[in-house]
């Protein structure tokens, strides 16, 4: 009991302001329409029906019990596979809120790269804030940079402004990498009177959001900082999935299908598709599983050789001999050891990766030329086409619920939290818990084995 409390305790305004008095929620809920039988014993009171989430509600993090380490793979929590229950806070509207809507100035900022669904989340945050009665809602343009760049003014947001933004991809507010110092950002928030900040971004953005939260606490500012994890790679710990991932897999499938048609229509055709996944291969693995057209799936978590008797190239030769064509999908972070290190970083300090897709294309051409076998190699990099898509239906729903719950979390008085979906329930996590390292595909997991079963590829070691 103590363990989970310690682990998933989420920061609340009363930690800093123990005397903060909540007010009844301005977000009115009716959970269900009264049925005839409800009237038998008199009309139920609003209190019985309110449907608000209790602050003590929890969601169980791991819902499977393994009986042996071998069936668990790396899912096993400890070597003996004893059962540790981990519970996380359930997201949703609370009966008591810690901000008066008329005193709220809410800001939304989107940072990092593009991801399908950003506009859906922005839209839903704005709509939900308005339902609470918030009048002052602004967008910070172009990521954290918008806090310091005097040429960029904040964008007033309302239901009218955001009504149709989800119909296109990208971010209404713009994104960027690199940022001013945390203290400059908090100075700017103080100047502007922002007391609710919604931050949409990946691990870097969340590290920034947590630093802003801590700085606000240090200055004793009554501010709620709430993140919504945006990672197309699906590499956030503990969550079922992050928004944009589903859309990415669907679009990736289209690229794979094109590569397949190109490869299949050429004599000894080989299609190479590079997909997103800097440190984890979820998109590549899922797209391979979904398409059923991939012969070789390469991800950062699973080492492989290109050359040698058990290398990828030898298997490609075998595929040309037996099937006549082949399709490879490779995650951008895979096989980085083959590429020359540049030590270059982007504005946010992320290492710039070498292009493994181009490398595989070149090595494949060279190999088949050397062995005197004809091969027609075509390379597709759909990254920017995928990132710019609008969210599909399932991501649209995910974004909507995450956006609503971000607002509920802020009004509930939580700060330094992020919203996620966990075993189909929506939950709040303390930010540091989910960004301590990127979630990765477990090479011993059932899912990776299913992928191998589907592609039929051997180990390339
Ligand atoms: P993506 O998944 O697209 O890479 P990201 O959120 O990880 O998303 P980054 O470019 O790494 O994208 O970071 C976004 C913003 O967060 C940048 O403005 C960056 O300067 C800031 N940031 C990154 N790491 C930190 C940190 N440790 N502390 C404060 N700010 C940070
Ligand atoms: Mg990142």
């Amino acid at each position: 009991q103590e363990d989970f409390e310690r682990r998933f305790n989420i920061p609340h305004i009363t930690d800093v302001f123990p005397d903060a008095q909540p007010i009844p929620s301005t977000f009115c809920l009716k959970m269900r329409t009264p049925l005839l039988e409800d009237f038998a014993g008199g009309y139920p009171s609003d209190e019985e029906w309110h449907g608000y989430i209790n602050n003590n509600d929890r969601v169980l993090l791991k819902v499977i019990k393994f009986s042996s380490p071998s069936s668990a793979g790396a899912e096993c929590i400890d070597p003996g596979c004893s059962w540790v229950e981990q519970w996380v806070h359930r997201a949703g509207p609370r009966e008591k809120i810690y901000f008066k809507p008329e005193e709220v100035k809410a800001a939304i900022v989107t940072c990092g790269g593009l991801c399908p669904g950003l506009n859906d989340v922005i839209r839903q945050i704005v709509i939900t804030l308005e339902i609470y009665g918030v009048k002052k809602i602004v967008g910070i343009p172009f990521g954290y940079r918008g806090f310091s760049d005097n040429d960029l003014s904040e964008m007033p947001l309302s239901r009218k402004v955001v009504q149709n933004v989800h119909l296109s991809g990208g971010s209404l507010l713009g994104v960027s990498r690199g940022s001013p110092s945390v203290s400059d950002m908090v100075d700017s928030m103080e100047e502007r009177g922002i007391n609710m900040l919604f931050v949409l971004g990946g691990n870097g953005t969340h590290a920034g959001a947590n630093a802003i939260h801590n700085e606000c606490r240090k200055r004793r500012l009554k501010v709620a900082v709430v993140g919504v994890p945006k990672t197309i790679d699906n590499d956030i710990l503990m969550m079922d999935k992050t928004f944009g991932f589903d859309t990415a897999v669907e679009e990736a499938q289209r690229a794979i299908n094109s590569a397949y048609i190109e490869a299949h229509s050429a004599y000894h055709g080989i299609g190479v598709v590079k997909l997103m996944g800097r440190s984890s291969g979820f998109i590549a693995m899922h797209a391979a599983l979904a398409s059923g057209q991939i012969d070789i799936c390469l991800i950062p978590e699973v080492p492989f050789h290109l050359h040698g008797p058990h290398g990828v190239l030898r298997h490609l030769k075998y595929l040309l001999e037996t099937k006549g064509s082949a399709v490879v999908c490779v995650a951008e972070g895979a096989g980085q050891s083959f590429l020359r290190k540049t030590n270059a970083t982007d504005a946010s300090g992320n290492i710039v990766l070498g292009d493994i897709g181009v490398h595989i294309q070149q090595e494949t051409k060279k190999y088949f030329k050397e062995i005197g076998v004809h091969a027609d190699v075509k390379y597709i990099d759909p990254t920017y086409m995928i990132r710019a898509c609008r969210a599909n239906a399932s991501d649209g729903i995910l974004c909507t619920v995450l956006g609503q719950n971000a607002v509920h979390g802020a009004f509930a008085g939580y700060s330094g939290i992020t919203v996620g979906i966990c075993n189909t329930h929506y939950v709040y996590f303390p930010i540091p818990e989910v960004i301590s390292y990127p979630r990765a595909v477990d090479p011993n997991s059932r899912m990776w084995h299913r992928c191998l079963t589907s592609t039929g590829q051997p180990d390339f070691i």
Side-chain angles (χ1 to χ4, degrees), residues 112-167:
L114 287 184
C115 176
L118 280 169
N119 281 337
D120 302 60
V121 180
I122 295 170
R123 175 177 183 272
Q124 203 54 222
I125 289 175
V126 172
I127 289 173
T128 311
L129 283 166
E130 282 200 354
I131 292 175
Y132 270 95
V134 178
K135 297 273 190 294
K136 284 174 283 180
I137 311 170
V138 297
I140 304 296
F142 299 105
Y144 287 142
R145 166 193 298 244
F147 276 119
S148 65
D149 194 327
N150 293 329
D151 295 335
L152 302 171
S153 46
E154 55 188 38
M155 183 191 288
L157 296 174
S158 63
R159 182 187 272 264
K160 202 168 162 203
V161 174
V162 299
Q163 190 61 46
N164 293 317
V165 290
H166 61 304
L167 301 181

Side-chain angles (χ1 to χ4, degrees), residues 111-114 143-145 176-180 182 185 200-209 211 230-233 235 278 346-350 387:
C111 316
L114 287 184
Y144 287 142
R145 166 193 298 244
S176 73
R177 296 194 192 274
S179 57
V182 170
M185 290 195 276
L200 281 53
N203 49 358
T205 308
H206 273 72
K230 171 230 67 170
T231 149
I232 204 165
D233 295 351
D235 57 355
R278 287 179 62 86
D346 67 16
S348 297
N350 303 307
R387 288 176 14 152

